[in-house]
Structures are given as structure tokens and as C-alpha cells.
Amino acid sequence: MKSFLLRIFLFTAIFTGLLLLLGPPLAVPGEFDYVGGIVVKHARLNEMKGNRVIFAGGSNVAFGLDSKMVEDAIHMPVVNLGLHGGLGLDFILQELEHNVRAGDVVFLSAEYFLEKGRYDLDYAAGKFLPDAGNYYEQDFYTTFKHLVEAKFDQVCYNRDRLMLRFKPAAIRERKAELEQVYSRHAFNSYGDVIAHLDLRPDGAPATPLKLQSGYWDGIAKINKANDIISAKGAKLYFLFPTFAKSSYEFNKSVIHQYQASILADLKVTVLNKPEDFVYPDSLFFDSYYHLTKKTRIWRTEKMISLIRPYVATTVAPAQQLTFSNHK
């Protein structure tokens, strides 16, 4: 029995030692650094005075909006809080509930069937912005489990990073480009991703995204958040997201059911139709939701026409754009 326990102890010690030896990060996985953009977004959010226009959602908002163009058109200060769908709808709504104030106008554009977030991304965002720790549920067991799993993930990432040096130069160069795009440095002062605008797009993935049919539980969550946001004197509106055309066509029946449920049960004004922000696959940067430079402008122009009636009554004639970092 003692011999067996000794072997278990030695195995555990060796395994833990190897994990600690191989686990130190050679680099941070892109999406974990990318969510650091939350700091830029909240810096702008906090410096704005008076009524604000806030765009929220996942990366379809981060990659799909020219906030300065919107601001110039509606004459209200704008911030783009859209970041990553993987943070989850709960995170996005809690972020709004904690930060909106009287007079704010919020436009939420969530990716289709957005669900509960990934703990690893939520945790990473919380490391960059401590207040974000209030936007997701935490407990000791889940945090400990995440930290252990993160070590294993880091070993795999280290392996892939080392193997990259043996790849062709073109692959290494493209990897370096994407690391700039999926980085906390990819954002301008409004919170828009701009690092990809002058890079070669890959288009949407060749295989259409398959959406799972069914009733979206996000409707009830948005309704609950709307009660809180409204009680604070702010207004919330909903928009369907951008989507690659092949995936839209592939999922058309599911999306129509999704739309019908939203129109029937969502207690928030819906400003557009799903097809309004559908564009050819070739005009996406690298996913089903990330727009290129050209389509980003098209979407922004359409967005301005959609939201203008809902912000026009908010702006007093003498109201000025009041914030310090206008770029």
C-alpha cells in the first residue's frame, strides 16, 4: 500500500513539475488579449458627459461600425461596447445594467442565439477591467477549474507557437497580421476594431454556419435587462446582426422563426430585419460576422438611417459633444 501511494505521489509530482515547466506563456492566445479592448471602451464611456449613444453586442458590432461616422451624423457622443460574442449575452447585459445612466440610448445587436459566455473569456476580461468581474457569475470551484484547464491550454498553445516557425513564410506573416487584429491594440478610441481595415480579407468560412433551431432564451434576459435600463432613465433598442449571405440562406427558416419569436415576445423596439445587414461572403474579413472596410461603411450608413429617429428627440439644441479624447 505504501509503495502504491509513493508511486501516486511521484507521478503527481512529476506531472505537476512538467506542467509548471511547460506552462509559462510564450504568448497570450489572441482572443484572451483581444478582450483587453474592454479597457479602451470603458475609458471612453466614463469620460463622456451628458447623454450617450452606446452600441452593444459581440464582435459583429466591434468589427462592423464606424462610430465617428455615426457621431458626426447624429451629433451625440458614441461608444462601441461590442467586443466578443464568446463573453455571452449575460455578460453584455450586465455590462449595460451596471453602466447606463439617465438619457443614454443603447442599441443592442447580438449574434444569433447568443448564449451564456465562456468562463475563460469572461475571466480574461475581468483581469483587464476589474469591474467586469461583476458581469459574470464566479465561484471558487469554477475559477479553480478554469485555472487548471488554462495551464493545459497554454501548453498546447506553446506547442503551436513553437511549431509555427517551421511553417511557410506566408503563413507566418498572416499569423502575425491576425495577431494585430485580435489584440487589445486593435481598437480606436471609440471602441471600433480598425486593425483589419487595410488587410487582405479571407471572406466568410466556406462552410455555412449552422444555427440551432428553437426558442431563444435571450429574449427573456433582454426583457429583464430592459426593465433595469428603463428604470435608470435610459432606452434600449434591438437590431439583428450582420451575417454572411451563404449562412443566412442556409439558415433562413431558422432565422425567420427567431425573428418571429423576437417580434412576438421581445419588449424592446426592433429597428431592422435580419436581411438588412446580410452581405456577400467575400465582403467579410474572416468570419460570418466580421465586416471588411467597405461593408463596415455600408452597415454604418444603414445603421445611421435606422437609429436617427430614436436619437433625434434625445438631443437638446444646445447639447455639445463633451469628451476629451475625440479621434
Side-chain angles (χ1 to χ4, degrees):
M1 183 65 178
K2 289 183 179 180
S3 176
F4 174 74
L5 292 175
L6 180 60
R7 286 197 294 269
I8 292 294
F9 173 78
L10 289 174
F11 173 81
T12 302
I14 293 171
F15 182 79
T16 302
L18 286 172
L19 194 61
L20 291 174
L21 180 64
L22 299 174
L26 298 179
V28 177
E31 59 182 353
F32 296 149
D33 189 50
Y34 167 86
V35 297
I38 195 171
V39 174
V40 175
K41 296 168 183 289
H42 278 256
R44 181 173 181 80
L45 188 68
N46 293 334
E47 72 185 3
M48 289 178 176
K49 309 301 180 184
N51 300 342
R52 306 170 295 184
V53 169
I54 300 170
F55 289 93
S59 57
N60 95 88
V61 179
F63 279 76
L65 199 66
D66 184 330
S67 294
K68 185 181 186 304
M69 187 174 167
V70 177
E71 186 172 271
D72 290 344
I74 65 173
H75 306 293
M76 281 184 69
V78 172
V79 62
N80 185 344
L81 284 187
L83 189 54
H84 193 312
L87 292 167
L89 183 64
D90 295 330
F91 184 102
I92 293 168
L93 295 177
Q94 284 290 320
E95 183 177 26
L96 292 173
E97 291 174 19
H98 278 80
N99 289 281
V100 298
R101 63 185 183 223
D104 286 345
V105 185
V106 181
F107 298 100
L108 172 66
S109 182
E111 285 76 5
Y112 287 110
F113 295 99
L114 197 60
E115 299 177 341
K116 185 177 177 64
R118 287 169 41 195
Y119 191 87
D120 54 355
L121 284 177
D122 293 342
Y123 183 86
K127 296 294 287 185
F128 282 106
L129 183 74
D131 284 350
N134 298 314
Y135 308 158
Y136 67 101
E137 294 182 3
Q138 302 181 62
D139 60 74
F140 175 80
Y141 171 76
T142 306
T143 301
F144 178 76
K145 181 173 178 286
H146 158 70
L147 293 175
V148 173
E149 291 174 347
K151 274 296 182 183
F152 287 96
D153 292 341
Q154 186 65 58
V155 171
C156 294
Y157 188 75
N158 288 349
R159 176 204 62 200
D160 294 341
R161 186 75 178 183
L162 291 171
M163 294 301 295
L164 182 64
R165 67 182 61 186
F166 300 107
K167 300 287 185 180
I171 293 178
R172 296 199 304 273
E173 290 170 2
R174 184 60 173 175
K175 178 73 172 176
E177 286 183 343
L178 293 178
E179 285 179 351
Q180 294 302 309
V181 174
Y182 294 99
S183 157
R184 65 185 183 277
H185 305 297
F187 302 83
N188 65 10
S189 63
Y190 288 88
D192 305 335
V193 174
I194 60 170
H196 70 302
L197 295 181
D198 295 319
L199 299 179
R200 171 183 58 82
D202 291 328
T207 303
L209 179 66
K210 183 177 181 180
L211 299 176
Q212 297 296 320
S213 61
Y215 190 84
W216 184 38
D217 65 358
I219 294 174
K221 293 178 179 180
I222 295 173
N223 286 339
K224 182 179 178 181
N226 183 53
D227 290 340
I228 296 171
I229 290 169
S230 297
K232 289 189 171 186
K235 296 181 180 179
L236 176 65
Y237 299 96
F238 182 87
L239 295 115
F240 293 99
T242 60
F243 208 36
K245 186 174 182 179
S246 65
S247 291
Y248 172 77
E249 295 294 338
F250 183 80
N251 294 283
K252 187 175 286 188
S253 62
V254 174
I255 290 174
H256 285 173
Q257 293 171 7
Y258 176 90
Q259 179 185 19
S261 298
I262 284 176
L263 294 178
D265 298 335
L266 189 66
K267 298 175 183 177
V268 172
T269 302
V270 180
L271 303 188
N272 69 333
K273 302 182 295 295
E275 57 267 29
D276 285 339
F277 295 144
V278 171
Y279 303 106
D281 290 24
S282 61
L283 296 179
F284 283 74
F285 180 68
D286 65 344
S287 85
Y288 308 101
Y289 290 108
H290 298 171
L291 298 182
T292 60
K293 189 174 188 176
K294 180 189 294 186
T295 36
R296 176 176 175 263
I297 296 300
W298 293 350
R299 200 254 188 121
T300 301
E301 291 173 343
K302 181 70 173 178
M303 183 73 79
I304 290 169
S305 69
L306 290 168
I307 72 170
R308 195 191 296 272
Y310 300 92
V311 297
T313 58
T314 305
V315 187
Q319 183 174 335
Q320 302 292 321
L321 297 175
T322 51
F323 46 87
S324 59
N325 190 18
H326 187 75
K327 294 182 181 180

